[in-house]
Amino acid sequence: KVENDVYKLPSTPIMSDTKFSVTFEKETIAKYIVKVFYDEGGVVKVNNRLIADGSSTSVTASTDVRLSIVPNQGYHLKSVTIGRIDKTSEVISNQLTISSISKNQEISILFEKDAPVSYTVKVSYNEGGTVKVNNNKVDNGTSTTVTASTNVQLSIVPNSGYHLKSVTVGGVDKTSEVRNNQLTITSISKNQEISILFEKDASINYT
């Protein structure tokens, strides 16, 4: 009988030549299955191998399994669960490790679209005309929310008997850029304050 890789001879004396036959066999390496589910919005790799949503890969038992979880542009990681246990807080630099895996695992990953970044456009103007921001009429002193990196269209229309005297955007004079009562702020990248001044037309006197 072999115990702890040692064979003990029988207690009775060996009276003649005895032949021993020893056969070695390669051990079967245990494997586990890692199945991954995720939605659109990113890519997932298991041990540096790209894996499709709903597919599985086999890994060697008692080894560390490294997950690479990379959101697409405009998305972020919302949650990661392994065997229904939330592991989101353990994701660092898009990486998560299952240490010394000891059973089959199901992993669920949820990506979420980023909320659009927005800025405010505050418009101040005197009587003598109307102002619209992106085709929406705004009152004097009010603010409008616009999406970052988009063009903002200002419509500046003097009333009858008035004309536009000046427009400043963030303290910079933009009067000369007004064409046909329109001014565009290209690819807005911060909050903006706009000051508009209308002026009464000069009186025409006849003799």
Side-chain angles (χ1 to χ4, degrees):
K1 182 180 180 181
V2 178
E3 292 182 355
N4 297 322
D5 298 329
V6 175
Y7 177 72
K8 293 183 179 180
L9 295 173
S11 58
T12 55
I14 297 175
M15 305 303 294
S16 62
D17 292 341
T18 302
K19 185 178 182 180
F20 294 92
S21 178
V22 179
T23 302
F24 294 98
E25 184 179 58
K26 196 171 185 178
E27 291 182 351
T28 301
I29 300 174
K31 297 278 188 178
Y32 293 112
I33 299 298
V34 175
K35 190 170 187 179
V36 181
F37 299 92
Y38 62 97
D39 57 352
E40 64 178 13
V43 294
V44 178
K45 292 181 180 179
V46 176
N47 290 339
N48 210 35
R49 177 174 169 266
L50 186 65
I51 188 165
D53 169 43
S55 60
S56 302
T57 188
S58 63
V59 297
T60 303
S62 301
T63 59
D64 291 348
V65 178
R66 189 176 184 183
L67 299 171
S68 175
I69 305 166
V70 183
N72 294 336
Q73 185 174 4
Y75 286 80
H76 61 272
L77 176 64
K78 185 175 183 182
S79 66
V80 179
T81 57
I82 298 178
R84 297 185 180 180
I85 298 173
D86 194 320
K87 296 286 186 177
T88 314
S89 63
E90 297 179 25
V91 178
I92 300 172
S93 299
N94 298 329
Q95 305 294 317
L96 175 64
T97 300
I98 303 172
S99 299
S100 190
I101 190 167
S102 58
K103 61 181 178 180
N104 296 331
Q105 292 285 13
E106 284 199 1
I107 302 169
S108 295
I109 298 167
L110 181 62
F111 296 104
E112 186 176 57
K113 205 165 191 178
D114 295 341
V117 178
S118 60
Y119 295 110
T120 58
V121 175
K122 185 176 182 179
V123 181
S124 301
Y125 62 97
N126 61 327
E127 62 178 13
T130 58
V131 178
K132 292 182 180 180
V133 176
N134 291 339
N135 211 34
N136 294 309
K137 187 178 182 297
V138 293
D139 294 326
N140 172 41
T142 60
S143 297
T144 299
T145 301
V146 297
T147 303
S149 300
T150 59
N151 293 343
V152 178
Q153 190 74 25
L154 296 170
S155 176
I156 306 167
V157 182
N159 293 337
S160 178
Y162 286 81
H163 61 271
L164 176 64
K165 184 176 182 181
S166 65
V167 179
T168 59
V169 178
V172 178
D173 194 319
K174 296 288 185 178
T175 313
S176 63
E177 297 179 24
V178 178
R179 298 286 186 274
N180 297 319
N181 298 328
Q182 304 295 314
L183 175 65
T184 301
I185 301 172
T186 305
S187 190
I188 190 167
S189 59
K190 60 182 179 180
N191 297 330
Q192 292 285 12
E193 288 199 7
I194 301 169
S195 296
I196 298 167
L197 180 61
F198 296 106
E199 187 176 56
K200 223 171 189 181
D201 295 340
S203 300
I204 301 175
N205 296 319
Y206 297 98
T207 58

